[in-house]
Amino acid sequence: TIVTAAGSLVRSRLALAGGDTTEAERHATWLLDHLHARGVEVFVADALVQLARAQIAAGAGEAAGRTLGEARERAERLGERRVLWEILAMTADLRDDDGASDVASDLRRSALAIVEEIAAGVSPDLRSVFLSRADVVALRATTSVP
């Protein structure tokens, strides 16, 4: 299941990077079906995030918001901080698009707190790599800390 999940997520990301939102959604949806059929919950939040990315790229922001809501519930229930910060940051972007900038700011601060916790718990080399990820850099640049 781990190899299958990783492969499906990579195929979905590659399809999305190539601009094929339909194929990206297909891979993410297939993975969700595969995980549900086997009663596996570990990669569900990751698959939902990837599905939301494809939905956003396809212009389906409302559907992406629902997908991210489900992903957030699962990530919080299972304590999956690594994917939770991504969910919060993506949801913040959608809330900005809806004009809810205060909510978006709160979500970004929550995401940044998780990023900082993760970074504090790894070796200096790994911390440097993690903090240099484009999505982490963007989050840190757009998040005001009171």
Side-chain angles (χ1 to χ4, degrees):
T1 299
I2 292 170
V3 172
T4 299
S8 294
L9 289 170
V10 167
R11 283 189 285 286
S12 180
R13 288 181 187 127
L14 290 172
L16 193 55
D20 191 343
T21 59
T22 302
E23 188 69 3
E25 275 192 58
R26 187 180 72 75
H27 285 294
T29 301
W30 180 89
L31 178 56
L32 286 166
D33 292 343
H34 177 79
L35 295 171
H36 289 308
R38 283 152 185 78
V40 176
E41 289 206 42
V42 176
F43 293 101
V44 171
D46 291 288
L48 288 167
V49 166
Q50 189 55 33
L51 177 58
R53 284 187 183 114
Q55 291 168 329
I56 290 167
E62 193 172 309
R66 288 190 301 274
T67 300
L68 288 169
E70 183 180 347
R72 182 177 180 179
E73 183 277 322
R74 287 176 176 278
E76 287 175 339
R77 183 168 39 86
L78 296 175
E80 295 179 341
R81 295 178 317 141
R82 187 213 33 88
V83 72
L84 181 58
W85 76 263
E86 294 178 88
I87 294 164
L88 296 172
M90 290 173 66
T91 304
D93 291 343
L94 290 175
R95 296 311 308 254
D96 269 339
D97 292 345
D98 293 341
S101 58
D102 289 344
V103 173
S105 293
D106 289 343
L107 289 166
R108 282 193 185 91
R109 280 192 288 277
S110 295
L112 183 59
I114 295 169
V115 164
E116 298 299 336
E117 286 174 17
I118 292 170
V122 297
S123 70
D125 290 343
L126 200 51
R127 181 178 309 115
S128 176
V129 170
F130 177 62
L131 294 176
S132 65
R133 286 178 45 158
D135 51 358
V136 172
V137 169
L139 176 65
R140 293 175 93 194
T142 59
T143 306
S144 61
V145 181

PDB file of all heavy atoms in Angstrom, residues 76-109:
ATOM      1  N   GLU A  76      -6.197  15.909  11.348  1.00  0.00           N
ATOM      2  CA  GLU A  76      -6.273  16.248  12.768  1.00  0.00           C
ATOM      3  C   GLU A  76      -6.582  15.011  13.609  1.00  0.00           C
ATOM      4  O   GLU A  76      -5.984  14.803  14.669  1.00  0.00           O
ATOM      5  CB  GLU A  76      -7.318  17.337  13.006  1.00  0.00           C
ATOM      6  CG  GLU A  76      -6.852  18.696  12.513  1.00  0.00           C
ATOM      7  CD  GLU A  76      -7.911  19.786  12.632  1.00  0.00           C
ATOM      8  OE1 GLU A  76      -9.122  19.468  12.714  1.00  0.00           O
ATOM      9  OE2 GLU A  76      -7.517  20.974  12.605  1.00  0.00           O
ATOM     10  N   ARG A  77      -7.501  14.188  13.128  1.00  0.00           N
ATOM     11  CA  ARG A  77      -7.881  12.987  13.878  1.00  0.00           C
ATOM     12  C   ARG A  77      -6.715  12.022  14.013  1.00  0.00           C
ATOM     13  O   ARG A  77      -6.527  11.406  15.061  1.00  0.00           O
ATOM     14  CB  ARG A  77      -9.066  12.301  13.193  1.00  0.00           C
ATOM     15  CG  ARG A  77      -9.571  11.080  13.932  1.00  0.00           C
ATOM     16  CD  ARG A  77     -10.922  10.571  13.431  1.00  0.00           C
ATOM     17  NE  ARG A  77     -11.133  10.620  12.012  1.00  0.00           N
ATOM     18  CZ  ARG A  77     -10.749   9.664  11.152  1.00  0.00           C
ATOM     19  NH1 ARG A  77     -10.129   8.594  11.599  1.00  0.00           N
ATOM     20  NH2 ARG A  77     -11.010   9.773   9.869  1.00  0.00           N
ATOM     21  N   LEU A  78      -5.899  11.918  12.966  1.00  0.00           N
ATOM     22  CA  LEU A  78      -4.778  10.977  12.990  1.00  0.00           C
ATOM     23  C   LEU A  78      -3.468  11.616  13.459  1.00  0.00           C
ATOM     24  O   LEU A  78      -2.451  10.939  13.570  1.00  0.00           O
ATOM     25  CB  LEU A  78      -4.570  10.368  11.600  1.00  0.00           C
ATOM     26  CG  LEU A  78      -5.719   9.512  11.083  1.00  0.00           C
ATOM     27  CD1 LEU A  78      -5.449   9.061   9.655  1.00  0.00           C
ATOM     28  CD2 LEU A  78      -5.960   8.318  11.989  1.00  0.00           C
ATOM     29  N   GLY A  79      -3.484  12.930  13.716  1.00  0.00           N
ATOM     30  CA  GLY A  79      -2.277  13.610  14.174  1.00  0.00           C
ATOM     31  C   GLY A  79      -1.216  13.746  13.092  1.00  0.00           C
ATOM     32  O   GLY A  79      -0.023  13.761  13.387  1.00  0.00           O
ATOM     33  N   GLU A  80      -1.632  13.878  11.850  1.00  0.00           N
ATOM     34  CA  GLU A  80      -0.714  13.974  10.720  1.00  0.00           C
ATOM     35  C   GLU A  80      -0.323  15.440  10.485  1.00  0.00           C
ATOM     36  O   GLU A  80      -0.843  16.115   9.601  1.00  0.00           O
ATOM     37  CB  GLU A  80      -1.348  13.373   9.464  1.00  0.00           C
ATOM     38  CG  GLU A  80      -1.596  11.897   9.572  1.00  0.00           C
ATOM     39  CD  GLU A  80      -2.239  11.306   8.328  1.00  0.00           C
ATOM     40  OE1 GLU A  80      -2.817  12.052   7.517  1.00  0.00           O
ATOM     41  OE2 GLU A  80      -2.151  10.078   8.164  1.00  0.00           O
ATOM     42  N   ARG A  81       0.654  15.906  11.275  1.00  0.00           N
ATOM     43  CA  ARG A  81       1.056  17.318  11.197  1.00  0.00           C
ATOM     44  C   ARG A  81       1.686  17.682   9.853  1.00  0.00           C
ATOM     45  O   ARG A  81       1.515  18.782   9.372  1.00  0.00           O
ATOM     46  CB  ARG A  81       2.039  17.649  12.309  1.00  0.00           C
ATOM     47  CG  ARG A  81       1.454  17.547  13.688  1.00  0.00           C
ATOM     48  CD  ARG A  81       2.461  17.839  14.782  1.00  0.00           C
ATOM     49  NE  ARG A  81       3.741  17.205  14.517  1.00  0.00           N
ATOM     50  CZ  ARG A  81       4.925  17.770  14.767  1.00  0.00           C
ATOM     51  NH1 ARG A  81       4.990  18.951  15.310  1.00  0.00           N
ATOM     52  NH2 ARG A  81       6.038  17.129  14.504  1.00  0.00           N
ATOM     53  N   ARG A  82       2.437  16.748   9.259  1.00  0.00           N
ATOM     54  CA  ARG A  82       3.126  17.061   8.015  1.00  0.00           C
ATOM     55  C   ARG A  82       2.147  17.479   6.922  1.00  0.00           C
ATOM     56  O   ARG A  82       2.372  18.442   6.217  1.00  0.00           O
ATOM     57  CB  ARG A  82       3.966  15.875   7.538  1.00  0.00           C
ATOM     58  CG  ARG A  82       4.826  16.247   6.346  1.00  0.00           C
ATOM     59  CD  ARG A  82       5.054  15.123   5.362  1.00  0.00           C
ATOM     60  NE  ARG A  82       3.998  14.175   5.191  1.00  0.00           N
ATOM     61  CZ  ARG A  82       3.002  14.316   4.313  1.00  0.00           C
ATOM     62  NH1 ARG A  82       2.898  15.380   3.565  1.00  0.00           N
ATOM     63  NH2 ARG A  82       2.089  13.385   4.209  1.00  0.00           N
ATOM     64  N   VAL A  83       1.059  16.789   6.796  1.00  0.00           N
ATOM     65  CA  VAL A  83       0.097  17.152   5.768  1.00  0.00           C
ATOM     66  C   VAL A  83      -0.850  18.252   6.268  1.00  0.00           C
ATOM     67  O   VAL A  83      -1.364  19.036   5.469  1.00  0.00           O
ATOM     68  CB  VAL A  83      -0.674  15.914   5.250  1.00  0.00           C
ATOM     69  CG1 VAL A  83      -1.666  15.404   6.256  1.00  0.00           C
ATOM     70  CG2 VAL A  83      -1.340  16.204   3.925  1.00  0.00           C
ATOM     71  N   LEU A  84      -1.044  18.356   7.578  1.00  0.00           N
ATOM     72  CA  LEU A  84      -1.979  19.350   8.119  1.00  0.00           C
ATOM     73  C   LEU A  84      -1.541  20.767   7.800  1.00  0.00           C
ATOM     74  O   LEU A  84      -2.368  21.605   7.438  1.00  0.00           O
ATOM     75  CB  LEU A  84      -2.153  19.158   9.629  1.00  0.00           C
ATOM     76  CG  LEU A  84      -3.126  20.133  10.301  1.00  0.00           C
ATOM     77  CD1 LEU A  84      -4.515  20.060   9.676  1.00  0.00           C
ATOM     78  CD2 LEU A  84      -3.192  19.834  11.794  1.00  0.00           C
ATOM     79  N   TRP A  85      -0.249  21.062   7.903  1.00  0.00           N
ATOM     80  CA  TRP A  85       0.161  22.438   7.620  1.00  0.00           C
ATOM     81  C   TRP A  85      -0.107  22.781   6.151  1.00  0.00           C
ATOM     82  O   TRP A  85      -0.483  23.913   5.834  1.00  0.00           O
ATOM     83  CB  TRP A  85       1.615  22.695   8.020  1.00  0.00           C
ATOM     84  CG  TRP A  85       2.659  22.146   7.099  1.00  0.00           C
ATOM     85  CD1 TRP A  85       3.337  20.975   7.226  1.00  0.00           C
ATOM     86  CD2 TRP A  85       3.157  22.758   5.908  1.00  0.00           C
ATOM     87  NE1 TRP A  85       4.213  20.816   6.184  1.00  0.00           N
ATOM     88  CE2 TRP A  85       4.123  21.897   5.363  1.00  0.00           C
ATOM     89  CE3 TRP A  85       2.876  23.954   5.254  1.00  0.00           C
ATOM     90  CZ2 TRP A  85       4.807  22.187   4.189  1.00  0.00           C
ATOM     91  CZ3 TRP A  85       3.560  24.250   4.081  1.00  0.00           C
ATOM     92  CH2 TRP A  85       4.506  23.364   3.564  1.00  0.00           C
ATOM     93  N   GLU A  86       0.054  21.807   5.260  1.00  0.00           N
ATOM     94  CA  GLU A  86      -0.229  22.052   3.847  1.00  0.00           C
ATOM     95  C   GLU A  86      -1.722  22.313   3.632  1.00  0.00           C
ATOM     96  O   GLU A  86      -2.098  23.202   2.860  1.00  0.00           O
ATOM     97  CB  GLU A  86       0.218  20.864   2.995  1.00  0.00           C
ATOM     98  CG  GLU A  86       1.720  20.656   2.978  1.00  0.00           C
ATOM     99  CD  GLU A  86       2.117  19.444   2.176  1.00  0.00           C
ATOM    100  OE1 GLU A  86       2.304  19.592   0.951  1.00  0.00           O
ATOM    101  OE2 GLU A  86       2.240  18.351   2.770  1.00  0.00           O
ATOM    102  N   ILE A  87      -2.550  21.545   4.319  1.00  0.00           N
ATOM    103  CA  ILE A  87      -3.996  21.721   4.233  1.00  0.00           C
ATOM    104  C   ILE A  87      -4.386  23.112   4.708  1.00  0.00           C
ATOM    105  O   ILE A  87      -5.166  23.822   4.054  1.00  0.00           O
ATOM    106  CB  ILE A  87      -4.719  20.645   5.072  1.00  0.00           C
ATOM    107  CG1 ILE A  87      -4.496  19.257   4.477  1.00  0.00           C
ATOM    108  CG2 ILE A  87      -6.203  20.965   5.218  1.00  0.00           C
ATOM    109  CD1 ILE A  87      -4.842  18.119   5.429  1.00  0.00           C
ATOM    110  N   LEU A  88      -3.840  23.524   5.841  1.00  0.00           N
ATOM    111  CA  LEU A  88      -4.162  24.847   6.388  1.00  0.00           C
ATOM    112  C   LEU A  88      -3.715  25.958   5.448  1.00  0.00           C
ATOM    113  O   LEU A  88      -4.456  26.929   5.227  1.00  0.00           O
ATOM    114  CB  LEU A  88      -3.520  25.014   7.767  1.00  0.00           C
ATOM    115  CG  LEU A  88      -4.034  24.071   8.855  1.00  0.00           C
ATOM    116  CD1 LEU A  88      -3.183  24.192  10.115  1.00  0.00           C
ATOM    117  CD2 LEU A  88      -5.500  24.325   9.154  1.00  0.00           C
ATOM    118  N   ALA A  89      -2.523  25.829   4.876  1.00  0.00           N
ATOM    119  CA  ALA A  89      -2.014  26.854   3.961  1.00  0.00           C
ATOM    120  C   ALA A  89      -2.855  26.927   2.691  1.00  0.00           C
ATOM    121  O   ALA A  89      -3.176  28.023   2.203  1.00  0.00           O
ATOM    122  CB  ALA A  89      -0.552  26.584   3.623  1.00  0.00           C
ATOM    123  N   MET A  90      -3.232  25.782   2.141  1.00  0.00           N
ATOM    124  CA  MET A  90      -4.072  25.774   0.936  1.00  0.00           C
ATOM    125  C   MET A  90      -5.460  26.345   1.228  1.00  0.00           C
ATOM    126  O   MET A  90      -6.019  27.097   0.418  1.00  0.00           O
ATOM    127  CB  MET A  90      -4.184  24.358   0.381  1.00  0.00           C
ATOM    128  CG  MET A  90      -2.906  23.837  -0.235  1.00  0.00           C
ATOM    129  SD  MET A  90      -3.009  22.089  -0.699  1.00  0.00           S
ATOM    130  CE  MET A  90      -4.233  22.160  -2.012  1.00  0.00           C
ATOM    131  N   THR A  91      -6.000  25.988   2.382  1.00  0.00           N
ATOM    132  CA  THR A  91      -7.308  26.515   2.773  1.00  0.00           C
ATOM    133  C   THR A  91      -7.226  28.029   2.947  1.00  0.00           C
ATOM    134  O   THR A  91      -8.154  28.759   2.557  1.00  0.00           O
ATOM    135  CB  THR A  91      -7.804  25.832   4.060  1.00  0.00           C
ATOM    136  OG1 THR A  91      -7.839  24.417   3.857  1.00  0.00           O
ATOM    137  CG2 THR A  91      -9.187  26.320   4.449  1.00  0.00           C
ATOM    138  N   ALA A  92      -6.119  28.512   3.495  1.00  0.00           N
ATOM    139  CA  ALA A  92      -5.928  29.958   3.648  1.00  0.00           C
ATOM    140  C   ALA A  92      -5.961  30.652   2.293  1.00  0.00           C
ATOM    141  O   ALA A  92      -6.585  31.716   2.150  1.00  0.00           O
ATOM    142  CB  ALA A  92      -4.603  30.240   4.352  1.00  0.00           C
ATOM    143  N   ASP A  93      -5.321  30.073   1.302  1.00  0.00           N
ATOM    144  CA  ASP A  93      -5.347  30.663  -0.043  1.00  0.00           C
ATOM    145  C   ASP A  93      -6.771  30.736  -0.581  1.00  0.00           C
ATOM    146  O   ASP A  93      -7.167  31.748  -1.173  1.00  0.00           O
ATOM    147  CB  ASP A  93      -4.464  29.863  -1.002  1.00  0.00           C
ATOM    148  CG  ASP A  93      -2.989  29.985  -0.691  1.00  0.00           C
ATOM    149  OD1 ASP A  93      -2.591  30.921   0.047  1.00  0.00           O
ATOM    150  OD2 ASP A  93      -2.214  29.124  -1.178  1.00  0.00           O
ATOM    151  N   LEU A  94      -7.538  29.679  -0.367  1.00  0.00           N
ATOM    152  CA  LEU A  94      -8.936  29.697  -0.818  1.00  0.00           C
ATOM    153  C   LEU A  94      -9.751  30.740  -0.068  1.00  0.00           C
ATOM    154  O   LEU A  94     -10.598  31.420  -0.653  1.00  0.00           O
ATOM    155  CB  LEU A  94      -9.575  28.309  -0.638  1.00  0.00           C
ATOM    156  CG  LEU A  94      -9.084  27.216  -1.572  1.00  0.00           C
ATOM    157  CD1 LEU A  94      -9.725  25.880  -1.191  1.00  0.00           C
ATOM    158  CD2 LEU A  94      -9.370  27.557  -3.025  1.00  0.00           C
ATOM    159  N   ARG A  95      -9.501  30.879   1.230  1.00  0.00           N
ATOM    160  CA  ARG A  95     -10.235  31.869   2.026  1.00  0.00           C
ATOM    161  C   ARG A  95      -9.871  33.283   1.589  1.00  0.00           C
ATOM    162  O   ARG A  95     -10.725  34.166   1.575  1.00  0.00           O
ATOM    163  CB  ARG A  95      -9.969  31.681   3.525  1.00  0.00           C
ATOM    164  CG  ARG A  95     -10.465  30.354   4.095  1.00  0.00           C
ATOM    165  CD  ARG A  95     -11.915  29.994   3.719  1.00  0.00           C
ATOM    166  NE  ARG A  95     -12.869  31.017   3.990  1.00  0.00           N
ATOM    167  CZ  ARG A  95     -13.755  31.029   4.982  1.00  0.00           C
ATOM    168  NH1 ARG A  95     -13.797  30.013   5.815  1.00  0.00           N
ATOM    169  NH2 ARG A  95     -14.590  32.023   5.123  1.00  0.00           N
ATOM    170  N   ASP A  96      -8.605  33.504   1.207  1.00  0.00           N
ATOM    171  CA  ASP A  96      -8.218  34.802   0.639  1.00  0.00           C
ATOM    172  C   ASP A  96      -9.023  35.081  -0.624  1.00  0.00           C
ATOM    173  O   ASP A  96      -9.502  36.196  -0.827  1.00  0.00           O
ATOM    174  CB  ASP A  96      -6.717  34.836   0.305  1.00  0.00           C
ATOM    175  CG  ASP A  96      -5.875  35.348   1.448  1.00  0.00           C
ATOM    176  OD1 ASP A  96      -6.410  36.041   2.349  1.00  0.00           O
ATOM    177  OD2 ASP A  96      -4.670  35.064   1.437  1.00  0.00           O
ATOM    178  N   ASP A  97      -9.165  34.074  -1.458  1.00  0.00           N
ATOM    179  CA  ASP A  97      -9.934  34.224  -2.701  1.00  0.00           C
ATOM    180  C   ASP A  97     -11.389  34.561  -2.413  1.00  0.00           C
ATOM    181  O   ASP A  97     -12.039  35.244  -3.207  1.00  0.00           O
ATOM    182  CB  ASP A  97      -9.864  32.940  -3.540  1.00  0.00           C
ATOM    183  CG  ASP A  97      -8.479  32.670  -4.090  1.00  0.00           C
ATOM    184  OD1 ASP A  97      -7.621  33.587  -4.074  1.00  0.00           O
ATOM    185  OD2 ASP A  97      -8.241  31.528  -4.541  1.00  0.00           O
ATOM    186  N   ASP A  98     -11.907  34.085  -1.275  1.00  0.00           N
ATOM    187  CA  ASP A  98     -13.287  34.366  -0.865  1.00  0.00           C
ATOM    188  C   ASP A  98     -13.420  35.712  -0.160  1.00  0.00           C
ATOM    189  O   ASP A  98     -14.508  36.099   0.224  1.00  0.00           O
ATOM    190  CB  ASP A  98     -13.799  33.282   0.092  1.00  0.00           C
ATOM    191  CG  ASP A  98     -13.945  31.925  -0.566  1.00  0.00           C
ATOM    192  OD1 ASP A  98     -13.996  31.869  -1.809  1.00  0.00           O
ATOM    193  OD2 ASP A  98     -13.996  30.923   0.170  1.00  0.00           O
ATOM    194  N   GLY A  99     -12.291  36.381   0.079  1.00  0.00           N
ATOM    195  CA  GLY A  99     -12.318  37.661   0.773  1.00  0.00           C
ATOM    196  C   GLY A  99     -12.268  37.550   2.285  1.00  0.00           C
ATOM    197  O   GLY A  99     -12.445  38.548   2.987  1.00  0.00           O
ATOM    198  N   ALA A 100     -12.029  36.377   2.798  1.00  0.00           N
ATOM    199  CA  ALA A 100     -11.976  36.166   4.249  1.00  0.00           C
ATOM    200  C   ALA A 100     -10.520  36.219   4.713  1.00  0.00           C
ATOM    201  O   ALA A 100      -9.964  35.240   5.197  1.00  0.00           O
ATOM    202  CB  ALA A 100     -12.625  34.843   4.621  1.00  0.00           C
ATOM    203  N   SER A 101      -9.910  37.396   4.593  1.00  0.00           N
ATOM    204  CA  SER A 101      -8.480  37.531   4.867  1.00  0.00           C
ATOM    205  C   SER A 101      -8.134  37.310   6.335  1.00  0.00           C
ATOM    206  O   SER A 101      -7.044  36.814   6.643  1.00  0.00           O
ATOM    207  CB  SER A 101      -7.958  38.880   4.388  1.00  0.00           C
ATOM    208  OG  SER A 101      -8.659  39.926   5.017  1.00  0.00           O
ATOM    209  N   ASP A 102      -9.017  37.649   7.256  1.00  0.00           N
ATOM    210  CA  ASP A 102      -8.730  37.398   8.674  1.00  0.00           C
ATOM    211  C   ASP A 102      -8.663  35.904   8.970  1.00  0.00           C
ATOM    212  O   ASP A 102      -7.767  35.439   9.682  1.00  0.00           O
ATOM    213  CB  ASP A 102      -9.787  38.053   9.571  1.00  0.00           C
ATOM    214  CG  ASP A 102      -9.672  39.565   9.599  1.00  0.00           C
ATOM    215  OD1 ASP A 102      -8.617  40.086   9.184  1.00  0.00           O
ATOM    216  OD2 ASP A 102     -10.634  40.225  10.032  1.00  0.00           O
ATOM    217  N   VAL A 103      -9.597  35.159   8.413  1.00  0.00           N
ATOM    218  CA  VAL A 103      -9.598  33.698   8.581  1.00  0.00           C
ATOM    219  C   VAL A 103      -8.345  33.118   7.933  1.00  0.00           C
ATOM    220  O   VAL A 103      -7.681  32.248   8.498  1.00  0.00           O
ATOM    221  CB  VAL A 103     -10.872  33.074   7.978  1.00  0.00           C
ATOM    222  CG1 VAL A 103     -10.797  31.554   7.998  1.00  0.00           C
ATOM    223  CG2 VAL A 103     -12.111  33.554   8.713  1.00  0.00           C
ATOM    224  N   ALA A 104      -8.011  33.612   6.738  1.00  0.00           N
ATOM    225  CA  ALA A 104      -6.819  33.137   6.030  1.00  0.00           C
ATOM    226  C   ALA A 104      -5.562  33.388   6.852  1.00  0.00           C
ATOM    227  O   ALA A 104      -4.685  32.517   6.946  1.00  0.00           O
ATOM    228  CB  ALA A 104      -6.715  33.811   4.669  1.00  0.00           C
ATOM    229  N   SER A 105      -5.466  34.549   7.471  1.00  0.00           N
ATOM    230  CA  SER A 105      -4.302  34.857   8.303  1.00  0.00           C
ATOM    231  C   SER A 105      -4.190  33.910   9.487  1.00  0.00           C
ATOM    232  O   SER A 105      -3.095  33.444   9.817  1.00  0.00           O
ATOM    233  CB  SER A 105      -4.366  36.304   8.803  1.00  0.00           C
ATOM    234  OG  SER A 105      -4.222  37.200   7.735  1.00  0.00           O
ATOM    235  N   ASP A 106      -5.317  33.626  10.118  1.00  0.00           N
ATOM    236  CA  ASP A 106      -5.313  32.684  11.248  1.00  0.00           C
ATOM    237  C   ASP A 106      -4.875  31.291  10.803  1.00  0.00           C
ATOM    238  O   ASP A 106      -4.096  30.628  11.492  1.00  0.00           O
ATOM    239  CB  ASP A 106      -6.700  32.602  11.895  1.00  0.00           C
ATOM    240  CG  ASP A 106      -7.070  33.862  12.659  1.00  0.00           C
ATOM    241  OD1 ASP A 106      -6.169  34.678  12.974  1.00  0.00           O
ATOM    242  OD2 ASP A 106      -8.275  34.035  12.944  1.00  0.00           O
ATOM    243  N   LEU A 107      -5.375  30.862   9.655  1.00  0.00           N
ATOM    244  CA  LEU A 107      -4.989  29.549   9.131  1.00  0.00           C
ATOM    245  C   LEU A 107      -3.495  29.504   8.830  1.00  0.00           C
ATOM    246  O   LEU A 107      -2.824  28.510   9.133  1.00  0.00           O
ATOM    247  CB  LEU A 107      -5.793  29.224   7.872  1.00  0.00           C
ATOM    248  CG  LEU A 107      -7.270  28.905   8.080  1.00  0.00           C
ATOM    249  CD1 LEU A 107      -8.020  28.954   6.756  1.00  0.00           C
ATOM    250  CD2 LEU A 107      -7.433  27.550   8.743  1.00  0.00           C
ATOM    251  N   ARG A 108      -2.968  30.561   8.251  1.00  0.00           N
ATOM    252  CA  ARG A 108      -1.536  30.604   7.937  1.00  0.00           C
ATOM    253  C   ARG A 108      -0.696  30.584   9.210  1.00  0.00           C
ATOM    254  O   ARG A 108       0.344  29.931   9.256  1.00  0.00           O
ATOM    255  CB  ARG A 108      -1.199  31.825   7.091  1.00  0.00           C
ATOM    256  CG  ARG A 108      -1.565  31.663   5.649  1.00  0.00           C
ATOM    257  CD  ARG A 108      -0.958  32.743   4.758  1.00  0.00           C
ATOM    258  NE  ARG A 108      -1.474  32.557   3.425  1.00  0.00           N
ATOM    259  CZ  ARG A 108      -2.582  33.138   2.960  1.00  0.00           C
ATOM    260  NH1 ARG A 108      -3.257  33.999   3.712  1.00  0.00           N
ATOM    261  NH2 ARG A 108      -3.003  32.886   1.738  1.00  0.00           N
ATOM    262  N   ARG A 109      -1.121  31.296  10.233  1.00  0.00           N
ATOM    263  CA  ARG A 109      -0.378  31.266  11.497  1.00  0.00           C
ATOM    264  C   ARG A 109      -0.378  29.856  12.092  1.00  0.00           C
ATOM    265  O   ARG A 109       0.645  29.381  12.600  1.00  0.00           O
ATOM    266  CB  ARG A 109      -0.943  32.283  12.485  1.00  0.00           C
ATOM    267  CG  ARG A 109      -0.450  33.711  12.217  1.00  0.00           C
ATOM    268  CD  ARG A 109      -0.789  34.642  13.360  1.00  0.00           C
ATOM    269  NE  ARG A 109      -2.206  34.957  13.432  1.00  0.00           N
ATOM    270  CZ  ARG A 109      -2.808  35.898  12.714  1.00  0.00           C
ATOM    271  NH1 ARG A 109      -2.116  36.627  11.853  1.00  0.00           N
ATOM    272  NH2 ARG A 109      -4.096  36.119  12.841  1.00  0.00           N
TER     273      ARG A 109
END
